[in-house]
Structure formats: structure tokens, C-alpha cells
Amino acid sequence: MLPDLKSHEGLKILKEAGYGFTGFDRPQNFKMQAEILDLAVKTAGSLTSETAVISDVAHLVLDSLFDSPRGFEFFPRFPKEEVVQFTKLAVASRENNLPLPITCPVCPDYEDRGYKMSDGIGISMGRVFDNFEALKDFFSKRNFPFFIDIHVADVEVMEPLILQASGETTESFLMKTSGSIAAIQARIHQLGLEQVMQCDSMLEVFSQAGLDYSVLKSINNQEIIGHGGSKVRRTIEALAIERIRLGDFELVELNNHKPMAAEELANYATYGDLVDGRAVILSPDTMSPMPAYNFLRGGEKLFNPTIYLKKVREKRINLW
């Protein structure tokens, strides 16, 4: 089983195993990580009596905390809740001899700044292709195969402010997202990844699940806008500021900045309703400081274990 993170000897063993601890590290520096690992072991142990499965899943969580690939960030917002659900998915994957389910929502093919769009492979999907081998190596280390369902966010055609900013009509917007889906599928085939990845329309995925995206989105948006909590208000403000910094709002009127931020948060929450804890979410678009796909979740709503794939700059590893 795992070395004890709460002891000096445990840290020494992990350091010798290549986890990058230094002689200055102390057990008290990793209390949260130790609690998360204990939670993973207890959760796995409640689901299976197979010690090999418990050990592999626990080591996978350990790797996510201390040995994740460059640019990937695992479960940063709600680590305990997300790790519990991740553990359940990983145990089910191993015991049923099935690939770990991963969903990956990607934006349409927008320009780097703003919402002008084309019909090819977008920036976020390009990031997934560029980092696929690193993700495969990470899960292969513990012998966990996975399958990624790519969902192109053609649901954004329903956003009047985005549609206006894109300069597209409903018909031309959907034609371009259809072109993006075809381009992604062609690249998957070209790379020989058909056994581990597929691409679909997000609108179609909601429809196949028997969910009305516009209704769910409206409910979430109203809850966000009408929410009296300061955390929700600060999240809207922070997202609007970040979109301005990234240049996404250059063609958006000032009075629409916060409404568009609220709409974006509602989009994430609605996709979180679709997944509902049944898969790991790989997010190449969302900024990890945001609750994103776990926004408004809790209680009967299962948390979605989320891996953020962040833009990595050359040198110094400066992230978004």
C-alpha cells in the first residue's frame, strides 16, 4: 500500500521513488494531500476487497497529486469530493475491465481572441491532441486505459450575445461547428486514435440523453444571476475580468460583460448536469480557479472529477 504521507519515513520513500520531494519537506506541509489519499483508500476499500485494485487506484490518486504531467491539474477546486467520485469511476473501470470514461467539452473553432469562428480544429481541441500522449502515459503508468468523448460546444449557438459577437447566423454557426466536428474526426482517424477517442455534437449528446439544454441552462442561469452569495458574485466578476484580459470581450459591449460571464458559468453548470459524476471531465478551456463543471453542485448532484489542461508557456512553466 502507500507510504504514509504523515511521516518523515513515508516522504523519504516517495522521494526515493522519484516523486520530487526535497529534504526540506515536512509531513505537516502535506496534510491536505494525506487526507485526500486516505479518502481515496477508504472509498476504494468500501467498493472492493481486491487489494491490487485498491493499491492501483490509490497510486493513481497519488500520481495526480504529486506527479501529474506538465500542464495538467487534477481536481483543484473540490479535491475531496472530486477524488471520491474519481475513485468510484476508477474502481468500476478496473473491476469491469472497461476504459475509464472521460468527456472533453471543447469550444468551437474561435479565433485566439474573441468569438470570430472558422470550421476547423479549434485551439482547445488542438491542445488536447498536442497533450494526448502525456495523458496516455500518465494513466498507462497504473494500467488504466481510458476513452475520451469529445463534445464540440455547438450549444453556444443558443447564446444571443455569443452569436452576435461571432457575426454568424444560427445556420452558419451550426455549419461551422459541423465542419469542426468533421475536421476533428478526420484528425482522430489520421492519428489512429479511433479506439480511444471520438467526437460528437454537444447538442446531439444532450438530446440523446433526453435533456433539454436550453431549459437546464435557463434554470442554472437564473440561479446564478439571482444568487445572493458573495462567492458567486465574485466568481462572475473574476471571470469577466479574465475574459477582458484574454481579449475575448474586445467586441463585446461593456454592459454585456457580466451577463456573458454569468452565461458562461451557466454553460459549465449545465454540462456538469449532463455528466453528473458518470465520467472524468478533461477541460482544455476552463480556467482552474473557477468551479466550472461543479458550479452549483452538491447534495444530490454528484461532483464531476475534473482535470484541467492548461496552456503552458515556454520557459518558467507559466500557466494561465
Side-chain angles (χ1 to χ4, degrees):
M1 198 51 70
L2 293 174
D4 185 9
L5 268 180
K6 298 186 287 292
S7 72
H8 290 280
E9 182 62 25
L11 292 185
K12 180 181 177 182
I13 292 172
L14 290 173
K15 179 184 177 183
E16 291 173 351
Y19 278 93
F21 292 98
T22 72
F24 298 101
D25 288 323
R26 299 291 181 269
Q28 57 264 33
N29 298 336
F30 304 102
K31 287 183 179 180
M32 174 63 77
Q33 291 90 335
E35 290 175 5
I36 291 169
L37 283 173
D38 285 346
L39 194 55
V41 172
K42 290 176 182 177
T43 301
S46 72
L47 298 171
T48 180
S49 60
E50 294 289 335
T51 57
V53 174
I54 298 172
S55 178
D56 284 349
V57 171
H59 277 89
L60 188 61
V61 173
L62 176 70
D63 293 344
S64 75
L65 292 170
F66 295 110
D67 195 28
S68 59
R70 181 186 180 197
F72 289 85
E73 190 174 10
F74 287 71
F75 327 131
R77 289 297 299 171
F78 303 95
K80 292 183 179 180
E81 295 86 348
E82 292 181 48
V83 162
V84 166
Q85 198 59 27
F86 177 75
T87 299
K88 292 177 180 179
L89 293 170
V91 170
S93 168
R94 177 57 57 82
E95 292 213 310
N96 296 313
N97 197 28
L98 293 171
L100 183 72
I102 299 177
T103 68
C104 181
V106 297
C107 281
D109 184 14
Y110 296 130
E111 291 182 352
D112 190 29
R113 299 171 70 90
Y115 292 92
K116 296 298 180 183
M117 62 188 300
S118 300
D119 60 357
I121 296 174
I123 294 170
S124 57
M125 188 63 224
R127 193 173 298 143
V128 174
F129 282 131
D130 289 344
N131 291 276
F132 174 79
E133 288 298 322
L135 188 67
K136 185 183 74 172
D137 291 345
F138 174 81
F139 282 106
S140 295
K141 182 179 178 182
R142 303 300 173 188
N143 195 28
F144 277 89
F146 59 82
F147 190 90
I148 304 178
D149 282 299
I150 307 292
H151 299 150
V152 175
D154 49 1
V155 295
E156 294 185 0
V157 72
M158 298 182 181
E159 312 295 335
L161 293 174
I162 288 182
L163 197 61
Q164 179 183 354
S166 72
E168 303 291 338
T169 64
T170 298
E171 181 180 8
S172 65
F173 190 103
L174 290 175
M175 285 183 63
K176 288 184 176 180
T177 53
S178 293
S180 289
I181 293 169
I184 293 169
Q185 290 172 330
R187 180 67 60 82
I188 289 172
H189 177 74
Q190 179 187 10
L191 296 173
L193 299 178
E194 298 96 327
Q195 300 302 312
V196 293
M197 188 184 297
Q198 67 181 15
C199 181
D200 293 296
S201 151
M202 193 179 291
L203 277 171
E204 291 184 6
V205 171
F206 269 90
S207 177
Q208 291 166 4
L211 299 174
D212 189 319
Y213 178 85
S214 60
V215 171
L216 283 174
K217 163 70 184 304
S218 177
I219 293 171
N220 285 325
N221 194 45
Q222 289 174 19
E223 185 173 352
I224 290 169
I225 292 174
H227 203 287
S230 59
K231 287 185 178 180
V232 173
R233 185 181 67 252
R234 289 198 301 270
T235 300
I236 294 172
E237 293 171 351
L239 178 56
I241 291 170
E242 184 68 3
R243 289 299 177 205
I244 292 170
R245 185 185 72 80
L246 294 173
D248 295 333
F249 283 176
E250 287 181 352
L251 300 179
V252 178
E253 294 181 2
L254 180 62
N255 62 326
N256 285 329
H257 287 182
K258 287 185 179 179
M260 282 190 74
E263 292 272 357
E264 183 175 345
L265 290 170
N267 284 337
Y268 297 140
T270 305
Y271 189 80
D273 290 338
L274 169 72
V275 178
D276 195 28
R278 291 187 293 270
V280 178
I281 296 178
L282 174 63
S283 176
D285 286 320
T286 323
M287 294 160 284
S288 61
M290 297 192 315
Y293 306 104
N294 288 310
F295 204 54
L296 307 178
R297 301 196 74 74
E300 294 183 357
K301 290 187 172 184
L302 296 176
F303 280 81
N304 296 302
T306 305
I307 303 170
Y308 295 91
L309 175 53
K310 307 172 80 173
K311 181 179 180 181
V312 180
R313 298 181 185 276
E314 293 302 322
K315 298 181 181 180
R316 296 178 180 260
I317 317 182
N318 292 322
L319 304 178
W320 269 339

